[in-house]
Amino acid sequence: MDRLAGRIACQDIHARLTQPPFDSSAMDGYAVKLDDVTTQGRTLSIIGEAPAGAPFNGAVGIG
């Protein structure tokens, strides 16, 4: 691969597969809805977990 350093492709290159095959984050964190965090001092609940490599099968609702 070192022989390719500094070169530019003459056309777009597209991946044949999406990996992982679902929406995934490479970082730990929390998903929230903006409307739920605009009020200062609001308490939110943890509604589930998605361990590494697995999708979250729940739904993020209001509140």
Side-chain angles (χ1 to χ4, degrees):
M1 288 298 211
D2 288 340
R3 62 188 172 85
L4 302 178
R7 295 185 180 232
I8 298 171
C10 64
Q11 60 189 16
D12 291 343
I13 300 171
H14 299 277
R16 293 185 194 136
L17 300 174
T18 299
Q19 285 297 0
F22 53 85
D23 291 339
S24 177
S25 172
M27 305 292 174
D28 291 338
Y30 295 90
V32 297
K33 290 193 171 200
L34 180 61
D35 290 342
D36 291 338
V37 294
T38 54
T39 303
Q40 189 172 18
R42 175 111 187 236
T43 301
L44 303 175
S45 300
I46 297 174
I47 61 169
E49 295 181 4
F56 176 62
N57 292 321
V60 180
I62 296 172

